[in-house]
Structure formats: structure tokens, C-alpha cells
Amino acid sequence: MSHEWGDYPENFTPKMYWGARAILERESDQPGKALHLLPDRQSFERLDGSQRDQDAFFSWINTEVLPELRRLARENHFYEWDNLVTIQSEDGAFMCQATPKGSGGEYLYIGCWEIEQESTITKTPLKSQLQQGHTLNDILAFVPGQDCEIFKADKFYPGDVVIYVPDVALNHIPLSCQITDPEKLDEVLSQCHTGQDFIDECGGDAEKAERLFFYCDW
């Protein structure tokens, strides 16, 4: 098992990873480039998961990721170092990042991995992961609320664990794009409420705070 090729995530070890260094080749009759995969410039690593998980992973790569990357290559999207493209599966289980890494548009480094959702997360690592380029959808599992979309933890956790994010549309909270502006990041984090926030709202009464959390779904 190896992750020699591609764009490997820096801050964690995924359960499954596929990477490749693809060639971007100019086509004489097209404005952009063709994307070619080479068998000896690919790598796959699986630390955990079933064969079904692996089949779903590669089905997503073949039916969604590669067609989209080929479309972007034809549009000559990849050239500079910062031409980073992020693609996430609809169910939030898989993530892909692709970048030419300053190769002048000759290569495209592709990394795809399975996202391992944390059962709980506190404010500090949440901020750190967002600063590293992850999206809220990468980190928190959002669900339907009362005519809206929210994040709600499986139970009430006192302290600094993030347990509730209210109506994302009403509060202009981006879920699937990176948050690069520091002011916007602080604004988003202010909407990521912890157990202690609920306790403070209830004047220090933890029992009342837990009851309030139980009713929140807006």
C-alpha cells in the first residue's frame, strides 16, 4: 500500500486513498487539454473498510470525479499552483482534491479519500480544520431541521464540544466551500454553538440547557 502519487491530505490518515499524477496534454483541435492516467503513476491505500465501501469509492471516482476533472482540463482550468479543485460526494463520504502544483499545466496531482466523520469536535480543532481548507460538510454531519438544514449532535455534551449549528441558509453559513476570509470564519464559528453556550444561555443551569438543546431544530 502506498500514497506516493497524487495529492495526499496533510492533517489526517484516511481509511481509503487513491492518488494519481495525471498528464495534461494539449490537443491541437481543442482550446484546453486532455487528461491521461498512467498505470504506474497511481496508488491506492486501504486501512479499513469493506469491499462494498471500496466499490462505492471507485464508482464515485470513475463516474463523478474523473469526468469532472476531464471537463475542467478541456476548459484549460489547471495551470497555476493555486488552481485547486475540490469535489465532494453528494453524501459527504468522499473527498477529492486536484492541483497542478505549479507544474505549468503539465501534470495534475489528484487525491481522493474517504472522509472519517468525528463523532464530536470542539471549537479549536474545528477552526483549525476550516483554516486548512476543509469545509463544514467535511467535518459535521448536517441534517434536516424545522424547514431548514442544521447540525445537531447525537446528545447534549457540556463544555466546548460543538453540538448545534442553526438554519444554515438563514444564517448564511457555507457548507460546501472553503472559508478563506478571517472575518467570515469568525462569523461562522460564532454560529457553531457548544454545550457551554447553552449552559450560559440558561444562566448556568446545565439541566435546563440540556432541555433547551432537546427542543432546538430551527
Side-chain angles (χ1 to χ4, degrees):
M1 297 191 298
S2 169
H3 50 258
E4 176 184 359
W5 303 106
D7 189 37
Y8 194 78
E10 296 180 355
N11 62 326
F12 75 105
T13 301
K15 292 194 296 182
M16 278 195 297
Y17 170 82
W18 173 82
R21 190 186 74 179
I23 294 177
L24 295 170
E25 186 174 55
R26 180 73 65 183
E27 295 182 311
S28 58
D29 59 340
Q30 299 292 333
K33 297 182 178 181
L35 187 154
H36 300 290
L37 292 173
L38 302 177
D40 61 347
R41 294 296 183 270
Q42 300 180 43
S43 56
F44 174 64
E45 180 176 280
R46 189 177 86 176
L47 303 180
D48 194 9
S50 66
Q51 184 62 46
R52 179 179 295 181
D53 294 336
Q54 182 175 322
D55 291 344
F57 180 55
F58 279 103
S59 175
W60 172 71
I61 291 171
N62 290 321
T63 61
E64 297 186 37
V65 173
L66 292 178
E68 177 65 10
L69 294 180
R70 287 192 167 100
R71 182 188 69 81
L72 292 171
R74 287 195 302 270
E75 295 177 357
N76 205 29
H77 183 85
F78 300 109
Y79 186 74
E80 299 295 342
W81 174 278
D82 58 355
N83 294 144
L84 175 68
V85 168
T86 299
I87 302 170
Q88 187 171 6
S89 62
E90 187 174 347
D91 62 2
F94 306 129
M95 168 70 73
C96 172
Q97 288 188 344
T99 173
K101 288 189 177 180
S103 65
E106 295 183 5
Y107 299 108
L108 185 65
Y109 296 82
I110 308 168
C112 300
W113 55 84
E114 183 178 8
I115 297 169
E116 189 170 2
Q117 297 275 357
E118 295 285 349
S119 58
T120 63
I121 191 168
T122 60
K123 276 285 187 76
T124 299
L126 175 61
K127 181 176 183 179
S128 176
Q129 290 192 34
L130 291 174
Q131 288 174 327
Q132 291 169 11
H134 292 278
T135 68
L136 279 171
N137 264 337
D138 298 340
I139 307 166
L140 302 175
F142 287 83
V143 297
Q146 190 178 144
D147 297 322
C148 62
E149 192 171 8
I150 63 171
F151 166 74
K152 188 171 183 178
D154 57 342
K155 64 179 183 179
F156 181 80
Y157 294 91
D160 199 33
V161 171
V162 175
I163 61 172
Y164 186 70
V165 180
D167 188 337
V168 297
L170 181 65
N171 292 285
H172 307 290
I173 299 172
L175 297 186
S176 57
C177 62
Q178 297 176 342
I179 306 172
T180 57
D181 180 70
E183 290 187 6
K184 182 63 177 177
L185 177 60
D186 288 341
E187 181 183 336
V188 168
L189 289 171
S190 72
Q191 297 292 336
C192 298
H193 301 293
T194 67
Q196 187 60 48
D197 291 333
F198 277 79
I199 292 172
D200 292 343
E201 186 68 24
C202 294
D205 189 328
E207 184 177 344
K208 184 184 292 185
E210 186 170 359
R211 292 201 301 269
L212 175 62
F213 169 75
F214 175 77
Y215 284 110
C216 283
D217 63 352
W218 58 83

